[in-house]
Amino acid sequence: MADKPEQTYYIDEDAGLDSETQDGTQDLPYKSLGYAVLTRTETPKFLTRKSVTGEVPEGADASARLEWKPVAKAALKKAVNYAKTQKKKAEKEKEMMAIRLKEEEARQKVLEEAKKVVLEEDKSLPAPVKIKLDDTSDKITLGNGNDVKGTRVRVFGRVHRERRQKEVMFLTLRDGYGYMQVVLTGPLSKTYDALTLTRETSMEILGELREVPAGAHAPNNRELHADYYKIHSHWKAAGGDDAITNRVSKDTEHATLLDLRHLTLRGETASKVMIVRDAVEFAFNQVYKELRFRKVSPPALVQTQVEGGGTLFKLNYYTEEAYLTQSSQLYLETCLPSMGDVYCIEKSFRAEKSLTRRHLSEYTHVEAELDFIDFNDLLDHLENVICRVLEVTLSNPVIKQYIMDLNPEFTAPERPFLRMKYEDAIKWLNEHEIVNEDGEAHKFGDDIAEAAERRMTDIINRPIFLTHFPAEIKAFYMQRDKEDPRVTESVDCLMPGVGEIVGGSMRMDQLDELMAAFGREGIDPTPYYWYWEQRKYGSSPHGGYGLGLERFLAWLCKQHTVRDCCLYPRYFGRCKP
């Protein structure tokens, strides 16, 4: 019902409500002038007040707040303009809603018709050959769509991308081995499954392999022209708000991506890193076999420490106390007399409450021990292994392309690596005014901090063997340099962008020297009997190292953090999924 002319409406900015429950009377005032104007079609009189927080004239009592006053002309003009804008928006939204409803009705009609389209395989066609999406073997020929027929194949995979072009659908299928472009035409593009297709849906597709048209591009320069496909009901991926593209994207926070790691792994970057990881681990195994190293599998449950007690994960082992291993080194050393040079690729655990981009609580450790060597032999071997692993990895054209996709500027390091003694590194840091963690100049005996070490490596911009660290900042078992007993025959391999990826040393081979080291560190040698007794029964000069596979991959694939270089990262505060 229309209001009478010159009807007065009341606005109480404190106690009013902008709601349909209000009628603008003194008893049920509105809260804002804009809402009041928007609600009324005529231009009535408006009175306003602040019943709680309004100013009280000097000398008046609090009841002065309850007085109604006419609204200012400027405020009324602003409110009228606001109301006009809101009405236009409402009308526009109403129009858009009507369009959307019409489109949805048309879409539902199309979907109902699509349900009537039933696909049947043409049994008169050649029997299909089942292949992986990257298969390019001799059994496969490509047709040109005219005179030459291509091999009819059966493939399985998930929808990685899809797009429509008139009545043609182009799909990119993924199966973990490669990608394939698929073309759906005619009835195949008009089924209910096709019209409601979502990314990550699994499909079985049959069709003819053809060359892509001139000027077009597709994986392996071919595309599959489908003649039949199946999508089982439980193969369909979620859509709408639950669609994978809504849950993980380039804008999703990193912590959320790690919570959804099972979905993130389906992305191109994450999957490429994992595939490169597989190739690198295979390369390490191949290279060690070329060098006649034997692989062993040391225990993960131990009762001794290697890298200091502060980073041990303790657990109850029946009636005893045990730890998760920090390193397999000590066990590898016991294999030298019977097996020769040995290596392992196993998990190591460090209970460091560290959240840096290069630390994990659980990581893959490539460790090796070499018998009857000197320190220079150890450095030469390390350089050879790193370079040869890269050669083997890059010899696979698919893996090489993945690495270049991830790290376009990658070039294999040149030999020899720069060899720099710790003492010279201290001088270099001071010459370049790179201070220690206390903001002071570095001095001999400092444990060079990660930031300073990485900055030096990035400036020099080549792999560095940083050697001869002071004994006080290194592990108890490291051999001292005979020419300078202050330092050990130890090495860290530093890579630009990451820092340390390898730590190694010569090991003490004299029993009395090792027992003295136990004493200096305050370590009871009794639980280590199996380790130090090696020196009682035919000792030898030997050395070894540990390489962090995730750090190696972070350098090779140019990943910001080692967390993205393992399947499901474990670090301080994260043990899921």
Side-chain angles (χ1 to χ4, degrees):
M1 184 175 67
D3 295 308
K4 294 179 180 180
E6 291 299 311
Q7 175 73 39
T8 300
Y9 293 100
Y10 296 84
I11 297 95
D12 188 328
E13 295 180 26
D14 290 327
L17 288 174
D18 287 341
S19 167
E20 292 180 359
T21 60
Q22 308 297 96
D23 59 9
T25 61
Q26 292 189 55
D27 294 331
L28 297 170
Y30 297 121
K31 184 176 181 66
S32 69
L33 178 59
Y35 185 84
V37 174
L38 181 63
T39 305
R40 301 299 152 191
T41 56
E42 76 287 351
T43 308
K45 181 180 180 182
F46 295 98
L47 299 178
T48 185
R49 73 181 181 187
K50 291 183 179 180
S51 62
V52 178
T53 62
E55 292 183 7
V56 179
E58 188 175 348
D61 59 30
S63 64
R65 290 197 184 98
L66 302 179
E67 294 179 8
W68 298 96
K69 299 178 182 179
V71 300
K73 288 184 179 180
L76 181 59
K77 184 178 180 181
K78 185 176 179 181
V80 169
N81 290 335
Y82 168 79
K84 287 179 180 178
T85 301
Q86 293 303 110
K87 285 178 181 178
K88 286 181 180 179
K89 284 178 67 176
E91 289 170 1
K92 185 69 174 177
E93 181 60 33
K94 189 176 180 180
E95 289 175 11
M96 294 303 296
M97 179 62 73
I99 292 171
R100 285 196 291 269
L101 287 173
K102 193 173 181 180
E103 289 176 344
E104 182 59 24
E105 287 176 5
R107 179 174 177 273
Q108 290 301 322
K109 187 176 180 181
V110 170
L111 290 177
E112 286 302 314
E113 288 298 314
K115 290 178 181 178
K116 300 175 184 178
V117 180
V118 178
L119 300 181
E120 291 186 5
E121 183 182 355
D122 186 347
K123 298 296 184 179
S124 68
L125 294 172
V129 177
K130 184 180 176 182
I131 66 169
K132 297 291 187 184
L133 298 184
D134 67 336
D135 195 339
T136 56
S137 59
D138 294 339
K139 66 183 179 183
I140 297 171
T141 58
L142 299 182
N144 58 21
N146 297 309
D147 304 326
V148 180
K149 285 286 184 183
T151 303
R152 187 166 183 257
V153 299
R154 182 194 307 271
V155 298
F156 295 84
R158 291 175 174 81
V159 177
H160 189 63
R161 281 190 291 271
E162 52 91 16
R163 63 184 174 90
R164 293 181 179 274
Q165 187 174 311
K166 294 183 179 179
E167 294 191 354
V168 180
M169 282 187 72
F170 294 91
L171 308 180
T172 299
L173 215 61
R174 183 191 79 243
D175 69 351
Y177 294 92
Y179 299 86
M180 181 178 287
Q181 181 164 292
V182 181
V183 183
L184 305 182
T185 57
L188 277 72
S189 66
K190 297 177 182 178
T191 67
Y192 182 82
D193 283 338
L195 296 181
T196 59
L197 191 65
T198 50
R199 291 194 185 184
E200 295 301 316
T201 290
S202 299
M203 299 182 71
E204 174 188 355
I205 306 180
L206 284 68
E208 179 191 342
L209 282 177
R210 298 181 190 174
E211 296 176 354
V212 294
H217 300 281
N220 295 312
N221 292 314
R222 66 186 184 183
E223 57 189 11
L224 176 62
H225 286 252
D227 57 58
Y228 180 72
Y229 64 81
K230 284 183 185 178
I231 302 175
H232 298 289
S233 60
H234 58 286
W235 286 13
K236 294 181 179 179
D241 292 341
D242 284 336
I244 193 168
T245 48
N246 290 329
R247 299 197 68 194
V248 293
S249 70
K250 64 179 181 179
D251 299 320
T252 305
E253 290 186 358
H254 192 255
T256 302
L257 291 176
L258 290 178
D259 288 340
L260 300 176
R261 185 69 172 162
H262 58 294
L263 299 180
T264 307
L265 287 168
R266 299 186 182 208
E268 290 189 29
T269 297
S271 61
K272 284 177 180 177
V273 172
M274 289 300 101
I275 292 170
V276 171
R277 179 188 172 113
D278 167 67
V280 168
E281 191 165 336
F282 176 85
F284 270 107
N285 281 298
Q286 178 176 325
V287 171
Y288 282 127
K289 291 305 177 186
E290 290 174 357
L291 296 172
R292 299 190 66 198
F293 277 60
R294 291 194 168 98
K295 188 175 185 179
V296 295
S297 297
L301 294 170
V302 301
Q303 291 185 313
T304 53
Q305 68 184 53
V306 181
E307 299 297 332
T311 63
L312 287 167
F313 279 112
K314 295 182 180 180
L315 54 99
N316 293 323
Y317 185 72
Y318 302 107
T319 59
E320 301 176 89
E321 189 176 75
Y323 316 104
L324 293 176
T325 184
Q326 299 167 314
S327 166
S328 297
Q329 174 207 318
L330 305 188
Y331 293 95
L332 290 178
E333 287 187 55
T334 68
C335 298
L336 294 177
S338 57
M339 301 181 71
D341 298 339
V342 290
Y343 79 101
C344 69
I345 302 177
E346 301 283 351
K347 292 296 180 72
S348 286
F349 304 86
R350 303 280 172 90
E352 291 180 280
K353 294 182 179 180
S354 175
L355 291 173
T356 77
R357 61 190 178 100
R358 67 174 196 166
H359 282 94
L360 292 167
S361 297
E362 175 190 75
Y363 65 99
T364 300
H365 215 173
V366 181
E367 297 184 87
E369 291 293 318
L370 295 78
D371 205 7
F372 294 105
I373 61 167
D374 61 26
F375 188 51
N376 284 326
D377 293 332
L378 180 63
L379 299 183
D380 291 342
H381 162 84
L382 256 177
E383 186 175 279
N384 180 42
V385 166
I386 291 171
C387 292
R388 180 66 185 133
V389 163
L390 291 173
E391 287 174 4
V392 172
T393 302
L394 294 169
S395 67
N396 182 321
V398 173
I399 302 302
K400 181 177 181 180
Q401 185 58 56
Y402 284 0
I403 291 170
M404 298 314 296
D405 292 344
L406 296 163
N407 187 2
E409 299 173 357
F410 177 77
T411 55
E414 296 181 1
R415 305 190 207 189
F417 292 1
L418 176 64
R419 300 188 182 190
M420 176 187 285
K421 289 187 175 183
Y422 164 90
E423 191 168 16
D424 294 328
I426 294 293
K427 294 176 183 176
W428 190 98
L429 291 167
N430 290 335
E431 288 170 0
H432 289 77
E433 298 181 345
I434 298 174
V435 296
N436 63 18
E437 289 182 306
D438 298 323
E440 301 172 350
H442 283 86
K443 60 185 181 300
F444 189 91
D446 282 352
D447 192 353
I448 301 173
E450 174 190 339
E453 185 180 79
R454 195 166 64 240
R455 190 173 170 196
M456 177 181 73
T457 310
D458 290 348
I459 292 172
I460 294 174
N461 198 31
R462 59 181 291 199
I464 302 172
F465 280 147
L466 192 58
T467 67
H468 297 89
F469 291 87
E472 288 73 19
I473 61 173
K474 283 296 181 180
F476 70 92
Y477 51 75
M478 292 188 178
Q479 181 70 56
R480 298 204 181 214
D481 186 350
K482 292 178 177 59
E483 296 181 2
D484 185 356
R486 298 178 306 160
V487 300
T488 54
E489 290 186 321
S490 53
V491 58
D492 285 352
C493 181
L494 313 179
M495 287 294 185
V498 179
E500 179 194 347
I501 64 168
V502 180
S505 75
M506 295 298 290
R507 318 307 192 188
M508 288 181 177
D509 55 31
Q510 294 185 29
L511 179 58
D512 56 351
E513 195 174 13
L514 181 59
M515 298 305 283
F518 278 122
R520 282 195 302 272
E521 294 295 324
I523 299 173
D524 178 7
T526 306
Y528 295 81
Y529 72 94
W530 50 271
Y531 176 66
W532 53 258
E533 277 195 353
Q534 298 294 313
R535 280 76 179 165
K536 282 180 66 174
Y537 298 93
S539 190
S540 61
H542 62 282
Y545 56 89
L547 177 146
L549 186 62
E550 288 81 10
R551 290 189 184 182
F552 187 89
L553 287 162
W555 164 68
L556 178 60
C557 298
K558 201 174 184 180
Q559 296 301 291
H560 177 71
T561 171
V562 293
R563 298 172 189 175
D564 293 334
C565 297
C566 54
L567 200 64
Y568 289 94
R570 299 290 183 257
Y571 56 90
F572 180 59
R574 176 170 291 277
C575 197
K576 68 176 183 181

